[in-house]
Amino acid sequence: MTIKSVRTLATTRQLPSPPADDLRPSSPRVCDAPDYPFKGWQPPQPEGYRQSAATSIETAFVIDNGSSTVKAGFSFDKVPRFMVPPIMARYRDRKNNKACTFVGHDAYADATTRGQIRSAFEPGTSIVTNWDVMEGVLDYVFIKLGVDEEGGIGRPVVMTEPMANLGYSRRMMNEVVFECYSAPSVTYGIDSLFSYRHNRGASGLVISSSHTATHLVPVLAGKPLYQSCARLNWGGSQAQEFLLKLLRLKYPTFPGKMNIEQMEEYVRRYCYISQDYDEELSHYLDWSGLEEERDIIIQYPYTEHIAPEKSTEELVRIAERKKESGRRLQEQAAKMRLDKLIKKEQEMEYYKQLHMNYVNAPTKKEQRRLLDADDFKDEAALERVIRELEKKIRKSRNKDLGAADEEEGMEQQTFPLLDVPDEELDEQGIKDKRHQRLLKSGVEARLRAKAEKERERARVAEEERLDLEKRENNFDDWIAGRRVARDILLSKIKDRERLKQDAGNRKSLASQMRMKTLANLASDGPKRKRRGGGEYDDDFGANDEDWGVYRTVATEPASDEEEEEDPAAALRSLEAELLRYDPDFTEKETFDAQNDWTKSLIHAFLRGARPFDPESQKEAHQIHLNVERIRVPEVIFQPGIAGVDQAGLAEIAEGIVMGRTNPAEQQALLRDVFVTGGNTLFKGFEDRLRRELRGVVDASLMINVRRASDPVLDAWKGAAGWWSKSALSERNAATITRDEYLEKGSEYFREHSLGNSIAPAASSGS
């Protein structure tokens, strides 16, 4: 069977970069968001395949089949020749009418290919489920390694597999290797055991934290104890997804695009293991050292809207134009006031002449005719108009002159007609008496208001005196009362803010109730009744078109006297008293301090140690990594942080060592605790694991924790070294040949010290 051809793309697309004049902060902790991991054209390396044909020692293809990266090379290589993610993208190019296939990093070439990416593995596991993609990845690997034969690859295959691999997955892999590629033989081994062998391990506890899970395998005298293995369902992929969830919750309206590939870079570069998680977390957002040490700013691409700067001459001209415009407006306003004053004076002269004509009229009929011509009811109405005009003219003149309004002196007016009986007055006298009674009522109302103000001032002075006396004689009660008043003002401010937010929402309950009230007040007819009782509700105000009634409602602005006291000002005054007299009330507890960004824990969490400008596109496209740097790696020791219902790594290890082995084996396992896998690369991982183990195992046991020389590549190196350095008998005992496959079927499997057993017993460390 011929090998499929794989087409790759050699064009590179990069995200837009910030402008050249973008000013970075002085801190070096600002980093650009990583691009998709497209590496461009990767040329084939056929010399390895030719070298394997020329050597006398049988060589093999070594493939570390990881769910994150497939590493491939020859058994005589020191490092793998190719490392590609097990993904593939397919789509049909309509312009050329060709089906295009992109494998590995080539699948990140552009947006079209990224939208068609499919993985060979089930998400979150190490189980191959998409065998079409798996076959495409193997095609890509063998072509890059220089395979050019028609009948097959012509070399044995050594392939890693996860702990407790499913029999179905191994059977399908056998069919792919033997049927598609006609391999002479295939050998399967556990990646973590290959890594342990490469690092010269014999007896110890192997902890492999890889992309999808963390496995713990006890090994005694080179033989793994499969019945005592355990699994923690947490690895690199879960850490990346957890970080992505945290950042999306942290920045729900972030304008940039965050993807899982970026999270992988953030976890690898910026996260580390805390040696004392609770203690460090309690001080992580302290302002001291936050920007220099703990807070990392990730800058995403953005486009800043920069307004062109104006020269000094332009600014001067603009200022002159504004000044000239203001002067013209003042002149227009003064001219309008003068025109209104002249018009009022003309009206007053007209009405005075009308009153003189009324007084000099020979008959009452002529007087009636003069009043009716200008729609006056009687002479008193005409006199009232004249007095109002005089008052308005006097106010206008005083305003222009900058003088205060003069008192009318109405309180000193006399009302002689009020003491005269109605029988002694004619019709006109009775009208004048009624008018004087109205004037006297107004004067008395003003006098009562003035007296009320005096009483109010006296009451305030008395309250201040009593408050001072209470503060001096009963200080504790006075402080408690001030704190209660402060709580009331804070509640009032919060209610105002909530009502202000609800006012802009037409669908809110308060807005609909206000509309229903207006509709009920405007309704003239009786409300309809429901059949079952009660009034009919027509849901008026639920639709936007109902709000047109607001245009017909005229409201006048409230006067300054009717406005309530500003609760914020009253709160500041009250807090000033508490700061002065209450030793337990500090500046940090004040309303202004709690709303100050320099004292806000939320601001430090979201925006770091600098002020945030919401108008800046640069700052709007920034994310801050701080507590996430220790929270994400901490999950492996405290899975409950991410909602994983399992014990932590140290507790699972303690259960394996102390609960499933005898004392002699316990010391052998703890003397060599071996960690490998990409999820163990966090700084401080070994020290934290040693500390955690010391807290759960017997104090008399010696603990030694060591890391693989290369946690990522040692599994491949161990597989390559095992094939090239092991004895022929050892290789034959672990290898499935093509003849055995044809004779015994695809489910045939060989057990050996580096591979899975027929019935693996890996359990979840719950």
Side-chain angles (χ1 to χ4, degrees):
M1 180 178 292
T2 59
I3 300 177
K4 302 176 184 178
S5 61
V6 180
R7 180 179 178 183
T8 58
L9 189 67
T11 59
T12 304
R13 293 189 181 180
Q14 307 225 354
L15 292 172
S17 58
D21 57 350
D22 180 28
L23 298 178
R24 299 283 181 186
S26 58
S27 172
R29 309 296 284 182
V30 179
C31 308
D32 291 329
D35 202 349
Y36 287 98
F38 176 59
K39 299 184 180 302
W41 167 253
Q42 299 292 321
Q45 299 182 20
E47 65 279 359
Y49 189 73
R50 292 193 293 267
Q51 181 181 349
S52 64
T55 182
S56 59
I57 302 176
E58 186 179 21
T59 60
F61 289 107
V62 180
I63 301 175
D64 182 6
N65 193 26
S67 58
S68 173
T69 307
V70 175
K71 309 168 190 67
F74 294 95
S75 56
F76 54 78
D77 290 331
K78 299 297 183 182
V79 293
R81 292 175 179 260
F82 289 97
M83 299 171 60
V84 295
I87 57 176
M88 185 172 69
R90 282 179 176 172
Y91 77 96
R92 177 167 290 278
D93 188 352
R94 296 184 179 180
K95 184 177 181 180
N96 298 319
N97 194 23
K98 291 183 179 180
C100 302
T101 302
F102 300 82
V103 178
H105 294 104
D106 296 339
Y108 296 109
D110 57 12
T112 304
T113 58
R114 290 195 294 268
Q116 304 295 327
I117 287 179
R118 300 293 181 270
S119 176
F121 291 81
E122 179 74 14
T125 71
S126 298
I127 306 301
V128 180
T129 56
N130 195 329
W131 291 98
D132 185 39
V133 175
M134 188 74 253
E135 189 176 344
V137 173
L138 292 177
D139 282 345
Y140 180 88
V141 167
F142 289 134
I143 288 176
K144 293 297 183 180
L145 289 176
V147 176
D148 55 359
E149 295 183 7
E150 288 293 329
I153 57 177
R155 304 287 185 277
V157 175
V158 179
M159 185 174 293
T160 63
E161 62 179 8
M163 174 67 65
N165 190 26
L166 300 178
Y168 170 79
S169 297
R170 190 180 297 110
R171 178 167 61 85
M172 292 298 297
M173 185 61 73
N174 282 336
E175 293 180 4
V176 169
V177 171
F178 288 119
E179 299 293 342
C180 291
Y181 304 109
S182 300
S185 66
V186 63
T187 305
Y188 299 106
I190 300 174
D191 49 4
S192 57
L193 296 181
F194 275 132
S195 178
Y196 191 49
R197 179 188 177 95
H198 180 71
N199 287 271
R200 296 179 176 84
S203 296
L205 180 63
V206 178
I207 299 177
S208 173
S209 185
S210 57
H211 186 65
T212 57
T214 299
H215 291 96
L216 293 87
V217 185
V219 179
L220 291 174
K223 294 182 179 181
L225 306 179
Y226 294 111
Q227 69 278 6
S228 299
C229 295
R231 181 183 70 251
L232 173 60
N233 297 323
W234 186 265
S237 63
Q238 289 86 353
Q240 297 159 21
E241 293 174 359
F242 184 50
L243 179 58
L244 184 60
K245 291 178 181 178
L246 291 178
L247 291 179
R248 285 176 174 172
L249 286 173
K250 188 175 182 178
Y251 302 101
T253 59
F254 186 66
K257 293 183 179 180
M258 295 184 286
N259 53 63
I260 200 69
E261 289 80 11
Q262 293 172 342
M263 300 304 112
E264 181 180 3
E265 184 75 7
Y266 299 157
V267 170
R268 183 180 63 84
R269 291 183 58 185
Y270 306 125
C271 294
Y272 64 94
I273 294 289
S274 174
Q275 299 305 311
D276 191 343
Y277 177 74
D278 295 332
E279 174 65 21
E280 185 171 0
L281 186 65
S282 64
H283 301 289
Y284 210 91
L285 294 177
D286 291 348
W287 292 95
S288 59
L290 176 63
E291 185 175 24
E292 293 79 7
E293 299 175 4
R294 299 184 297 276
D295 187 60
I296 295 177
I297 305 173
I298 307 297
Q299 181 67 66
Y300 278 74
Y302 68 97
T303 302
E304 189 72 77
H305 302 289
I306 302 175
E309 295 185 0
K310 296 180 174 60
S311 62
T312 306
E313 293 77 8
E314 291 177 338
L315 294 175
V316 170
R317 286 197 297 270
I318 291 173
E320 290 294 333
R321 285 199 299 269
K322 288 183 178 180
K323 186 182 297 184
E324 181 64 22
S325 177
R327 185 183 60 78
R328 286 198 301 268
L329 289 175
Q330 291 177 354
E331 292 177 353
Q332 292 176 2
K335 186 176 182 299
M336 291 175 64
R337 289 196 302 270
L338 180 60
D339 294 341
K340 290 181 179 179
L341 180 60
I342 293 174
K343 184 177 180 181
K344 291 175 183 177
E345 289 177 346
Q346 292 174 352
E347 290 179 356
M348 189 178 66
E349 290 296 331
Y350 172 78
Y351 288 127
K352 283 183 176 181
Q353 184 63 39
L354 178 62
H355 185 265
M356 185 179 297
N357 295 337
Y358 173 82
V359 172
N360 298 328
T363 61
K364 288 187 176 181
K365 183 177 180 180
E366 181 64 19
Q367 290 178 343
R368 186 73 264 168
R369 186 188 65 79
L370 292 172
L371 293 176
D372 291 341
D374 286 283
D375 296 331
F376 285 111
K377 184 178 180 181
D378 51 20
E379 183 184 3
L382 177 59
E383 290 176 350
R384 282 198 299 273
V385 171
I386 293 174
R387 284 195 298 272
E388 290 295 329
L389 285 172
E390 289 177 346
K391 182 179 179 181
K392 291 179 180 179
I393 291 172
R394 183 168 56 252
K395 283 187 176 181
S396 298
R397 288 175 177 173
N398 290 335
K399 185 176 181 180
D400 291 338
L401 295 175
D405 293 339
E406 297 179 358
E407 293 292 336
E408 294 289 337
M410 296 297 294
E411 291 78 358
Q412 288 75 26
Q413 288 184 359
T414 58
F415 309 100
L417 293 179
L418 297 181
D419 299 329
V420 179
D422 292 346
E423 293 80 5
E424 300 178 6
L425 298 174
D426 56 4
E427 183 181 355
Q428 182 62 36
I430 292 175
K431 293 180 180 179
D432 293 341
K433 180 179 179 180
R434 189 182 300 117
H435 178 61
Q436 289 184 5
R437 185 179 291 113
L438 292 174
L439 292 178
K440 183 180 180 182
S441 299
V443 171
E444 290 175 351
R446 284 193 290 272
L447 291 176
R448 285 194 300 271
K450 184 177 181 181
E452 182 65 28
K453 289 182 179 180
E454 292 294 335
R455 287 193 296 271
E456 180 65 21
R457 283 195 289 268
R459 185 187 64 80
V460 172
E462 180 65 16
E463 287 183 354
E464 291 178 354
R465 185 187 67 78
L466 293 176
D467 183 73
L468 177 61
E469 183 178 348
K470 183 178 181 180
R471 188 179 71 213
E472 293 176 349
N473 300 329
N474 197 348
F475 181 75
D476 293 338
D477 291 346
W478 182 84
I479 287 294
R482 282 295 187 266
R483 285 187 173 271
V484 170
R486 179 176 178 271
D487 293 339
I488 294 174
L489 287 173
L490 286 173
S491 177
K492 186 181 293 185
I493 291 174
K494 291 180 180 178
D495 290 342
R496 279 194 171 188
E497 292 295 329
R498 179 177 55 80
L499 291 176
K500 186 184 296 183
Q501 293 176 0
D502 290 344
N505 182 13
R506 293 185 173 184
K507 305 297 183 182
S508 65
L509 180 61
S511 298
Q512 294 191 21
M513 291 300 297
R514 187 163 58 251
M515 287 296 298
K516 289 177 181 178
T517 301
L518 288 173
N520 292 337
L521 292 175
S523 177
D524 294 330
K527 295 183 178 179
R528 291 182 291 170
K529 299 290 185 179
R530 296 179 184 267
R531 290 184 178 179
E535 295 178 349
Y536 180 79
D537 186 4
D538 60 352
D539 294 331
F540 186 80
N543 299 323
D544 287 345
E545 54 267 19
D546 298 338
W547 292 79
V549 72
Y550 268 134
R551 300 189 183 95
T552 64
V553 179
T555 58
E556 295 182 359
S559 62
D560 294 339
E561 292 80 11
E562 296 175 351
E563 293 182 357
E564 296 182 1
E565 182 183 4
D566 183 13
L571 179 63
R572 291 188 182 93
S573 176
L574 195 147
E575 288 180 340
E577 290 184 351
L578 289 174
L579 286 173
R580 182 178 179 183
Y581 298 107
D582 188 358
D584 297 330
F585 188 80
T586 62
E587 184 70 31
K588 293 181 179 180
E589 299 180 52
T590 60
F591 180 76
D592 292 336
Q594 292 177 354
N595 289 274
D596 185 7
W597 70 269
T598 60
K599 301 176 178 64
S600 170
L601 193 68
I602 294 296
H603 183 93
F605 176 61
L606 293 175
R607 304 299 176 186
R610 297 196 177 193
F612 174 67
D613 181 11
E615 301 297 330
S616 172
Q617 290 296 317
K618 173 185 175 182
E619 296 186 21
H621 286 76
Q622 289 178 350
I623 62 174
H624 291 251
L625 295 177
N626 35 62
V627 296
E628 297 84 7
R629 299 178 62 195
I630 60 174
R631 178 169 293 163
V632 173
E634 183 67 19
V635 177
I636 198 169
F637 294 101
Q638 301 185 54
I641 293 176
V644 179
D645 189 17
Q646 287 185 270
L649 180 62
E651 287 78 7
I652 297 176
E654 185 268 341
I656 293 175
V657 175
M658 307 302 294
R660 305 180 187 181
T661 56
N662 57 49
E665 294 173 342
Q666 293 172 6
Q667 183 59 78
L669 294 178
L670 292 176
R671 189 178 286 112
D672 186 18
V673 179
F674 177 76
V675 294
T676 184
N679 201 41
T680 65
L681 290 172
F682 296 115
K683 178 183 177 183
F685 188 91
E686 306 100 293
D687 296 337
R688 175 66 183 277
L689 180 59
R690 185 182 301 108
R691 178 181 175 183
E692 293 289 330
L693 289 175
R694 176 52 62 196
V696 295
V697 302
D698 194 338
S700 61
L701 298 174
M702 184 183 69
I703 300 175
N704 180 40
V705 180
R706 66 185 179 109
R707 179 189 287 177
S709 57
D710 191 339
V712 177
L713 297 180
D714 276 1
W716 185 93
K717 293 178 180 178
W722 173 84
W723 179 267
S724 59
K725 297 178 182 178
S726 61
L728 181 61
S729 59
E730 183 180 358
R731 291 206 308 260
N732 292 336
T735 300
I736 305 172
T737 65
R738 179 175 177 81
D739 293 338
E740 291 174 331
Y741 165 78
L742 295 175
E743 177 184 353
K744 300 177 181 180
S746 59
E747 296 181 356
Y748 179 68
F749 175 67
R750 284 183 178 271
E751 290 188 5
H752 59 99
S753 60
L754 297 177
N756 281 300
S757 63
I758 295 178
S763 62
S764 175
S766 58

